[in-house]
């Protein structure tokens, strides 16, 4: 009866249905988790708010996105924290859905089980297929040179590195966190105190933008011994800015970032 009522309202008075969707979504999603047959009846009437505030269905999203990232659903959990990635997506004409309901972590796992082949990726977890500059040809040797350069300056602060040609030239680098490792961390936090026999941590990747003028300048100075100290400071500052954009600096890292920022400003004043 609930499913029939919701279906009727969505079909006949979509505007009214959208008005109270945010208030009822947690109950609808919980009902789906408890009873798969309920989901099967209601799935075409489950709504998702996109980056422009428009309500769409999962089918709507997948249909529009199929040529750019087939069967991948990108999602946002915090518009403020992930604003940098939202801007990137919009620049590339890409969309994502807002999943900020307390039950959404469980619900997307359920959806992946029910909708064969569909995978949910947080907006800051994967740029490999969607945010590259498609007109740029990859220069593997040059990219490896950039990666090795940053590794030497940053050390083991970041686990993985990659180089992309992002259209947004004023962004030197962004941080990505593996969807899989994040989910494992969330699961571990839910079962605090239990020993999984693994040392779990989020797998971070530094995506270095080789279209950025600052990155180009740093690489051009890599063999300049007179600029070695300044280069090291700026490389670490780039990483901190990328982490800070995703609110991932701990207290000690934030303290170092502030000290480094003050040092850089002193250098600028002395010019």
């Amino acid at each position: 009866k609930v499913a029939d009522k919701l279906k009727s309202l969505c079909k006949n008075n979509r505007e009214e249905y959208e008005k109270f969707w945010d208030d009822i979504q947690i109950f609808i999603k919980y009902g789906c988790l408890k009873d798969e047959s309920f989901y099967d009846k209601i799935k075409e009437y489950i709504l998702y708010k996109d980056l422009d505030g428009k309500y769409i269905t999962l089918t709507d999203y997948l249909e529009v996105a199929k040529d750019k990232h087939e069967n991948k659903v990108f999602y946002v959990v915090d518009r403020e924290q992930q604003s940098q990635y939202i801007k990137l997506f919009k620049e590339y004409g890409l969309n994502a859905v807002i999943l900020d309901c307390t039950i959404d972590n469980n619900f997307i796992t359920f959806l992946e089980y029910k909708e064969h082949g569909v995978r949910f990726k947080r907006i800051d977890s994967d740029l490999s297929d969607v945010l590259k500059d498609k007109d740029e040809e990859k220069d593997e040797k040059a990219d490896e040179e950039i990666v090795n350069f940053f590794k030497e300056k940053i050390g083991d602060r970041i686990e993985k590195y990659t180089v992309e040609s992002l259209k947004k030239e004023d962004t030197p680098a962004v941080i990505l966190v593996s969807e899989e490792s994040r989910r494992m961390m969330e699961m571990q936090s839910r079962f605090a105190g239990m020993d999984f026999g693994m040392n779990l941590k989020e797998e971070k990747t530094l995506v270095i933008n080789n279209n950025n003028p600052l990155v180009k300048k740093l690489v051009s100075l890599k063999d300049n011994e007179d600029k070695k100290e300044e280069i090291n400071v700026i490389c670490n500052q780039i990483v901190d800015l990328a982490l800070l954009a995703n609110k991932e600096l701990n207290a000690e890292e934030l303290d170092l970032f502030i000290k480094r920022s003050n040092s850089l400003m002193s250098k600028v004043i002395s010019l």
Side-chain angles (χ1 to χ4, degrees):
K1 288 182 178 180
V2 173
D4 290 340
K5 180 65 176 177
L6 292 171
K7 287 162 65 174
S8 175
L9 186 59
C10 187
K11 285 181 177 180
N12 300 317
N13 195 343
R14 175 67 177 254
E15 186 177 346
E16 189 66 23
Y17 185 69
E18 291 179 358
K19 282 182 181 178
F20 65 77
W21 174 256
D22 287 352
D23 295 326
I24 67 168
Q25 62 167 320
I26 188 169
F27 304 107
I28 301 303
K29 291 173 179 178
Y30 181 74
C32 292
L33 292 172
K34 293 292 289 182
D35 185 351
E36 289 186 29
S37 64
F38 177 67
Y39 171 76
D40 293 334
K41 292 176 182 177
I42 200 71
K43 65 179 182 179
E44 292 302 323
Y45 307 97
I46 295 173
L47 300 182
Y48 304 84
K49 190 183 290 185
D50 72 2
L51 296 181
D52 295 319
K54 179 183 176 183
Y55 287 97
I56 58 175
T57 66
L58 183 61
T59 301
D60 294 334
Y61 179 90
L62 292 171
E63 178 62 28
V64 173
K66 65 181 180 181
D67 292 333
K68 296 178 179 178
H69 48 88
E70 188 174 14
N71 286 333
K72 278 185 183 178
V73 181
F74 287 93
Y75 67 96
V76 173
V77 296
D78 186 325
R79 292 186 70 103
E80 183 179 341
Q81 179 180 343
Q82 293 157 337
S83 60
Q84 176 183 352
Y85 304 92
I86 291 173
K87 288 176 183 177
L88 278 171
F89 262 54
K90 287 187 172 182
E91 285 169 3
Y92 280 77
L94 298 168
N95 204 357
V97 295
I98 312 299
L99 295 178
D100 54 5
C101 180
T102 55
I103 205 170
D104 278 332
N105 276 344
N106 301 88
F107 191 62
I108 61 175
T109 302
F110 171 78
L111 288 173
E112 289 173 337
Y113 156 70
K114 291 292 291 183
E115 303 297 327
H116 182 69
V118 173
R119 288 291 176 266
F120 282 76
K121 298 278 187 180
R122 211 169 86 168
I123 200 170
D124 55 358
S125 69
D126 185 6
L127 301 180
S128 60
D129 297 323
V130 295
L131 295 186
K132 295 179 184 178
D133 189 335
K134 302 299 183 183
D135 297 327
E136 289 278 344
E137 289 189 11
K138 294 287 285 182
D139 185 336
E140 300 293 343
K141 185 177 181 181
D143 289 353
E144 185 178 356
E145 185 178 80
I146 294 173
V147 167
N148 290 335
F149 169 73
F150 269 83
K151 276 185 177 179
E152 180 186 341
K153 304 302 177 185
I154 299 164
D156 59 359
R157 291 188 62 196
I158 302 293
E159 293 83 7
K160 297 180 180 179
Y161 299 79
T162 185
V163 177
E164 301 291 356
S165 300
L166 303 180
K167 288 182 179 179
K168 190 176 176 65
E169 293 182 1
D170 60 351
T171 299
V174 293
I175 291 290
L176 303 182
V177 180
S178 158
E179 181 74 19
E180 292 73 20
S181 72
R182 181 190 292 110
R183 292 198 196 186
M184 289 296 292
M185 291 291 291
E186 288 170 351
M187 183 175 70
Q188 181 176 253
S189 67
R190 286 200 296 270
F191 297 97
M194 292 185 66
D195 184 6
F196 287 89
M198 297 178 288
N199 183 23
L200 300 176
K201 65 176 182 177
E202 288 186 335
E203 294 178 3
K204 294 183 177 68
T205 298
L206 181 72
V207 180
I208 305 161
N209 183 10
N210 61 10
N211 276 341
N212 176 257
L214 180 57
V215 170
K216 292 178 180 179
K217 182 66 175 178
L218 286 169
V219 174
S220 73
L221 294 171
K222 66 183 178 66
D223 296 322
N224 189 327
E225 288 296 320
D226 294 336
K227 300 287 184 181
K228 187 174 181 179
E229 181 182 346
E230 289 86 349
I231 291 170
N232 183 70
V233 168
I234 293 171
C235 285
N236 278 277
Q237 195 77 350
I238 286 173
V239 176
D240 280 350
L241 286 169
L243 289 165
L244 194 61
N246 214 25
K247 296 186 178 178
E248 293 187 18
L249 286 182
N250 61 36
E252 183 180 351
E253 290 170 332
L254 185 59
D255 183 53
L256 288 171
F257 170 76
I258 292 170
K259 288 178 180 177
R260 201 182 305 115
S261 297
N262 290 333
S263 175
L264 280 170
M265 287 188 287
S266 297
K267 291 179 186 295
V268 171
I269 290 173
S270 67
L271 290 176

